[in-house]
Amino acid sequence: MMFLTQEEGTPSPELLSAQAELKSVLSSLAEDLADLVESVKVVQSGSYKSGLEIEEVSRRERLVDEIAKTGSGLDRRRDRDLDGVFRTVGNLKAEMLEVVIDKLTDQRMREVVRANEDGLCSCCIKVLIFVLIFLLVLVLNL
């Protein structure tokens, strides 16, 4: 079973790798967006030379703005999702700790009961109960 955090609370190597990959992808997207913004600026400055109409340049500007908003929305969503993952991992860790403590407590209680059970003592109690029942039967039959 793969855990997102290690026992001491630090992120696992798998989580760190996924975060690094996500940062790399987002960085690449940011670079692509910057290139796209530059391309739109170049086209704007010489739209007549490139043969593009003003409406097409405006459409491309809107597209760049939408992509930029989506990118910042992805960042916020990623942060929110990671926060949720960390909270969930923390909750699971707390629940696992409770289960382990419960099991250890049960096991320790059984050990204490077994240690306090004395075979001879139990045998004496059983013999005394038998004798008392026998005497009771004798007294009732008189």
Side-chain angles (χ1 to χ4, degrees):
M1 180 176 195
M2 181 177 66
F3 291 99
L4 296 177
T5 60
Q6 296 172 342
E7 190 168 317
E8 59 274 356
T10 59
S12 70
E14 293 86 2
L15 181 59
L16 292 174
S17 173
Q19 284 177 328
E21 187 177 337
L22 182 60
K23 285 180 182 177
S24 172
V25 167
L26 288 174
S27 175
S28 176
L29 284 174
E31 290 173 12
D32 291 346
L33 181 61
D35 289 345
L36 188 57
V37 168
E38 271 308 304
S39 297
V40 169
K41 286 181 182 176
V42 166
V43 169
Q44 277 180 324
S45 65
S47 62
Y48 297 111
K49 294 177 191 174
S50 62
L52 295 175
E53 296 183 10
I54 294 174
E55 293 84 21
E56 179 63 17
V57 173
S58 297
R59 186 188 71 76
R60 290 183 183 186
E61 281 179 323
R62 286 191 304 275
L63 178 64
V64 168
D65 289 342
E66 278 183 39
I67 291 171
K69 287 177 187 175
T70 302
S72 64
L74 285 174
D75 277 344
R76 286 191 298 275
R77 182 176 178 197
R78 177 199 57 158
D79 290 343
R80 186 187 71 231
D81 290 347
L82 285 175
D83 287 343
V85 167
F86 286 128
R87 275 194 304 275
T88 301
V89 168
N91 292 341
L92 289 173
K93 199 178 209 181
E95 287 178 28
M96 282 180 23
L97 183 61
E98 287 178 26
V99 168
V100 167
I101 289 172
D102 288 345
K103 284 185 179 184
L104 289 175
T105 303
D106 286 347
Q107 183 179 8
R108 182 66 183 136
M109 290 296 289
R110 279 190 230 114
E111 288 174 5
V112 168
V113 168
R114 281 189 203 124
N116 289 333
E117 285 182 346
D118 182 19
L120 183 59
C121 183
S122 295
C123 184
C124 287
I125 291 172
K126 290 175 186 175
V127 168
L128 286 174
I129 290 172
F130 177 74
V131 169
L132 286 173
I133 291 173
F134 180 74
L135 288 174
L136 184 63
V137 169
L138 280 178
V139 170
L140 290 175
N141 285 334
L142 289 177

